[in-house]
Amino acid sequence: MEVLMPEPQIYVERTLAIIKPDVIDKEEEIEDLILRSGFHVIQKRNLQLSPEQCSNFYAEQFGKVFFPNLTAYMSSGPIVAMVLARNCAVSYWKELLGPSNSLRARITHPHSLRALYGTDELRNGLHGSLSISSAEKEIGFIFPEAILEPVPTGQRARDYLNLYVKPTLLAGLTALCKEKPADPM
């Protein structure tokens, strides 16, 4: 009987997920839901942000009425930050999160994470990047050691594979076939 193997996937899109202070006790449950939704956790970090760090992280929200409450809330306790990867990671993560207002999410997206774990518009349980560019910026902020190089897609990716990866694999596999080692490992 032939065993069907799924085609290997390369997850090139990443997004930032943050479990906020008021739902940190649900970390394992939330991470399980994330993994069951097809995401891979690339990096994970437990930390507590200072009010100044929160102000820098949410700088685009500066001047809005809720900004002081947001920075106070996000610095009120520990958080868990994760870099998630999968195809279309940003859009799938936003879909899984649901609307930013947890009260609205309970009505319009009752199975979303914010409907399940959030309490109101400010304390919505989780953070998600709004776009690929904001994900790169936010990942760099939380994980400064992360290497975020632009990942080629489409024809550029095929060209890269044909130019660099395939010749290396072909040479290595050819050498392995010629050697025919008794114990290849």
Side-chain angles (χ1 to χ4, degrees), residues 18-25 30 47-55 57-58 66-80 100 102 113-114 117-128:
I18 295 178
I19 300 174
K20 295 182 178 181
D22 56 330
V23 293
I24 198 78
D25 59 324
I30 292 169
L47 68 153
Q48 183 161 352
L49 298 174
S50 68
E52 182 182 356
Q53 288 172 314
C54 291
S55 294
F57 184 78
Y58 287 107
F66 61 85
F67 183 76
N69 291 335
L70 176 64
T71 56
Y73 162 56
M74 287 300 291
S75 62
S76 68
I79 62 170
V80 175
S100 61
S102 296
L113 294 177
R114 287 179 173 152
Y117 298 103
T119 54
D120 55 35
E121 187 169 5
L122 179 65
R123 286 171 166 56
N124 60 11
L126 297 117
H127 168 84

Side-chain angles (χ1 to χ4, degrees), residues 9-63:
Q9 296 289 316
I10 299 173
Y11 301 102
V12 296
E13 193 171 297
R14 292 167 285 193
T15 191
L16 181 71
I18 295 178
I19 300 174
K20 295 182 178 181
D22 56 330
V23 293
I24 198 78
D25 59 324
K26 304 283 188 188
E27 173 189 349
E28 287 182 23
E29 187 178 316
I30 292 169
E31 189 171 346
D32 182 57
L33 287 169
I34 290 169
L35 294 172
R36 285 191 288 133
S37 297
F39 289 95
H40 293 273
V41 178
I42 304 300
Q43 287 182 285
K44 182 177 172 182
R45 182 175 177 200
N46 295 348
L47 68 153
Q48 183 161 352
L49 298 174
S50 68
E52 182 182 356
Q53 288 172 314
C54 291
S55 294
N56 291 335
F57 184 78
Y58 287 107
E60 69 278 353
Q61 305 295 335
F62 183 77

